[in-house]
Amino acid sequence: MPELKKYKMFINGEWVNSDTEKIFETLNPENNKPWAAVPEASVSDVDRAVKAAQNAFEGEWPKLLPKERARYLRMIGDKLRENAEHLGKIETIDTGKLYRETYKQANYIAEYYDYYAGLADKVEGTVLPIDKPNIQAITTRIPIGVIAAIVPWNSQMFLTATKLAPALAMGNTVVIKCSELAPATMFEFAKLIQETGIPKGVVNVISGFGEPCGKALTSHNLVEKIAFTGGPETARHIIRNSAENLSEVSLELGGKSPVAVFNDANQENAINGITAGIFGASGQSCIAGSRLYLQEGIYDEFLDKLSNRAKKIKIGAPMDPETEMGPISNYKQLEVIEKNIKLTLEQGGRLKCGGQRHSFSNEGYYFPATIIECDNHNLPVAENELFGPVLSVMKFKTEEEVVSKMNDNQYGLSSGVYTSDLARGMRVSKAIRAGITFVNTYRLISPTAPFGGIKDSGYGKEAGLESIKDYTRVKTTWFYTSDEPTLDPFSIR
Ligand code: NAD
């Protein structure tokens, strides 16, 4: 067996093992063989990382001119572009995501650092129209302190960028906890961070499990904000943990995103968007458009075309440039997918295509594009987040009916509408209770576009102009502008 690649954690600018020397292995989903070993952070490792971040916060970093911090962000962006090939390969080995996607993503993510570099010196304060004589009062925005950034396995580079870039731009320091399911890319990324010469302790990367590592981090008394992306159950733990340190929490959680196709939609365009939305990244995407509502006039014809397209998706090795769908990342997820499909079929769901493990390889968990017709959207595959390539399909008659059905789910992350009537596109978008609506398109991200959900999909937005302010707090400063002493020390004015 080939020797495992060994990673270390990045704490206070140094590469370290866990003080317990404990390690765990990470698997390559293509063959489910371990390929790398990473440290398992203990409570005291977490403490070391947080204290390093706190020291850095008390040091020069927040005092640098914004344009100086921006320079580091631009360097991070440049390094991402220069190393996109390598990062893409590592990400593909560790997650099973397609190299053609991970490589492009590593390049594109650089733009998040460029964007927040540009914003670093654009956040202004205010002068208050104060109601008192001889007083001038202003507000400024100050950095928060140590940020705990916790990311899931599926898009770590992207989900780190949406936290790290605004946090650094505003002068905070950060401890990133990578996912135990695919930690390697974050250590490769930490090497690039180190090469920028950023002061020690400003960025720290640790690896470990929810317990003890995640728990210790999210309840640590020096952590001031937790920026979390992951599942709703984990979010509940984190909120409970944050009762210990009273830190601010932002949550980017799961989704069960609905997509409606009206009779007048451009069908070819809709099929492309729906295919990207649910079968891209083998459906392992938080914004996966996994509930499809087809208007009755096009139902049969559209569904046939869509399933013909789905059957043609090329399943294969994730490094192969021809591959369109790679493996499911881990066995736990495969089990969730299979269990939900089984229950749905027992309850009357009708399989249109897929539904069983794919024979491409019996080492990795390859699962084909699966489409299941459901008479109601309370069947398991139409209701639960599966994080896999499974599309539930339902029929609707009217706009009012479909809006109500689209809203009838605990999540509210993304949504989609296909129609050639843009007035309707706008109406439906306004009526859907979700953080994102795509009209006649799907699966787009941009540093300029806020990303995040409502309802059980979480709160707080990442990316976009607004998000930069989420990494600051407002401070009010009062100036007394008279040369005369103040009067009556025992009265509040
Ligand atoms: P997860 O919730 O299991 O894990 C996410 C992270 O939380 C991991 O780093 C994990 O170690 C950590 N964690 C686990 N228990 C913890 C605890 N008690 N305290 C602190 N940290 C803890 O999620 P996952 O399975 O890795 O990822 C899939 C989920 O993430 C899906 O629900 C998906 O929809 C969601 N997701 C959301 C977005 C978004 O932006 N809304 C993006 C990607 C993924």
Side-chain angles (χ1 to χ4, degrees):
M1 192 163 121
E3 204 174 311
L4 299 184
K5 191 169 170 72
K6 293 196 174 56
Y7 284 105
K8 293 190 176 188
M9 297 188 287
F10 186 62
I11 299 180
N12 204 25
E14 285 168 14
W15 296 98
V16 297
N17 290 320
S18 166
D19 60 4
T20 62
E21 296 293 333
K22 269 192 176 175
I23 53 162
F24 62 95
E25 291 172 348
T26 173
L27 306 180
N28 176 348
E30 191 181 347
N31 52 27
N32 279 305
K33 294 201 170 79
W35 73 279
V38 300
E40 183 189 333
S42 65
V43 173
S44 65
D45 294 323
V46 171
D47 188 53
R48 254 197 302 170
V50 174
K51 283 187 175 145
Q54 177 66 21
N55 282 341
F57 186 69
E58 287 165 12
E60 63 180 309
W61 180 249
K63 300 181 192 95
L64 289 182
L65 294 175
K67 67 176 185 179
E68 290 170 334
R69 285 197 300 270
R71 215 171 290 137
Y72 284 103
L73 286 164
R74 289 202 181 88
M75 271 195 271
I76 297 174
D78 289 344
K79 294 210 167 281
L80 280 168
R81 278 182 279 262
E82 284 158 23
N83 294 277
E85 221 171 279
H86 176 64
L87 291 167
K89 277 183 192 149
I90 297 289
E91 179 95 328
T92 291
I93 294 170
D94 217 17
T95 64
K97 283 180 74 167
L98 302 187
Y99 175 66
R100 67 202 242 185
E101 176 156 344
T102 54
Y103 164 68
K104 269 203 188 150
Q105 207 177 44
N107 259 303
Y108 187 59
I109 278 158
E111 298 194 18
Y112 284 75
Y113 292 91
D114 293 347
Y115 178 74
Y116 285 105
L119 287 180
D121 59 2
K122 309 291 183 297
V123 175
E124 297 173 350
T126 59
V127 177
L128 301 174
I130 205 81
D131 60 344
K132 311 200 181 303
N134 300 326
I135 290 291
Q136 177 80 70
I138 62 165
T139 63
T140 47
R141 287 194 171 262
I142 55 171
I144 297 175
V146 177
I147 312 288
I150 302 182
V151 288
W153 68 269
N154 66 317
S155 261
Q156 297 196 61
M157 298 284 286
F158 162 57
L159 297 164
T160 297
T162 55
K163 299 168 179 58
L164 185 62
L168 294 183
M170 292 293 97
N172 302 282
T173 59
V174 184
V175 177
I176 301 167
K177 185 202 133 357
C178 42
S179 166
E180 64 274 34
L181 293 175
T185 325
M186 295 314 301
F187 296 117
E188 299 288 344
F189 175 63
K191 286 183 198 161
L192 307 183
I193 295 271
Q194 188 183 33
E195 283 170 20
T196 65
I198 203 164
K200 286 180 179 180
V202 171
V203 182
N204 306 274
V205 180
I206 59 175
S207 44
F209 295 85
E211 294 230 13
C213 172
K215 185 171 180 193
L217 180 60
T218 49
S219 54
H220 198 290
N221 65 341
L222 293 175
V223 166
E224 293 287 343
K225 176 179 167 110
I226 302 164
F228 171 71
T229 304
E233 253 336 286
T234 315
R236 290 189 177 91
H237 285 291
I238 285 177
I239 291 170
R240 282 190 282 268
N241 297 344
S242 72
E244 297 301 318
N245 55 13
L246 299 177
S247 63
E248 187 181 322
V249 181
S250 69
L251 303 172
E252 294 289 341
L253 310 179
K256 189 70 195 174
S257 301
V259 177
V261 184
F262 286 86
N263 289 338
D264 63 357
N266 174 327
Q267 294 198 10
E268 193 184 339
N269 180 52
I271 286 169
N272 283 341
I274 291 160
T275 302
I278 184 64
F279 301 129
S282 302
Q284 301 170 108
S285 157
C286 55
I287 58 167
S290 52
R291 284 192 286 148
L292 178 62
Y293 297 91
L294 298 178
Q295 201 164 17
E296 60 182 357
I298 52 154
Y299 185 90
D300 291 324
E301 175 199 358
F302 189 91
L303 188 55
D304 281 345
K305 285 188 197 162
L306 181 66
S307 34
N308 286 340
R309 173 75 184 86
K311 284 178 203 161
K312 286 193 195 119
I313 292 175
K314 191 167 180 309
I315 292 185
M319 281 303 290
D320 182 341
E322 300 294 313
T323 298
E324 292 173 326
M325 264 174 53
I328 301 296
S329 125
N330 60 79
Y331 187 65
K332 200 174 105 201
Q333 214 49 53
L334 182 77
E335 275 189 323
V336 171
I337 293 167
E338 291 185 330
K339 185 174 146 215
N340 277 272
I341 290 178
K342 183 170 176 287
L343 287 173
T344 301
L345 298 180
E346 282 167 9
Q347 293 169 36
R350 296 179 300 283
L351 195 61
K352 192 77 185 158
C353 63
Q356 286 189 336
R357 284 186 211 188
H358 193 273
S359 58
F360 171 74
S361 149
N362 52 15
E363 288 185 314
Y365 307 123
Y366 289 86
F367 206 85
T370 297
I371 300 180
I372 303 181
E373 289 181 85
C374 299
D375 289 335
N376 76 67
H377 66 191
N378 300 116
L379 295 183
V381 296
E383 196 165 60
N384 304 329
E385 184 187 41
L386 304 189
F387 230 55
V390 183
L391 180 66
S392 54
V393 185
M394 283 73 59
K395 196 182 280 185
F396 75 93
K397 284 195 172 90
T398 65
E399 183 180 316
E400 197 186 7
E401 175 198 352
V402 80
V403 165
S404 139
K405 286 182 168 165
M406 289 169 93
N407 283 337
D408 184 23
N409 187 274
Q410 71 187 96
Y411 292 111
L413 182 54
S414 179
S415 53
V417 186
Y418 289 90
T419 175
S420 53
D421 177 351
L422 271 187
R424 174 161 50 206
M426 178 55 90
R427 270 196 314 274
V428 175
S429 159
K430 275 172 81 176
I432 295 176
R433 301 260 307 128
I436 304 165
T437 300
F438 294 104
V439 180
N440 294 329
T441 185
Y442 209 84
R443 205 166 183 245
L444 301 176
I445 52 165
S446 163
T448 64
F451 183 92
I454 57 175
K455 296 165 51 180
D456 286 5
S457 294
Y459 45 79
K461 288 274 179 187
E462 296 196 329
L465 203 53
E466 295 295 312
S467 135
I468 193 122
K469 292 186 182 157
D470 294 340
Y471 286 87
T472 63
R473 294 231 167 100
V474 172
K475 171 167 182 165
T476 308
T477 306
W478 299 75
F479 296 92
Y480 183 54
T481 56
S482 166
D483 292 332
E484 299 299 319
T486 54
L487 300 174
D488 191 356
F490 297 105
S491 133
I492 188 164
R493 286 168 296 141

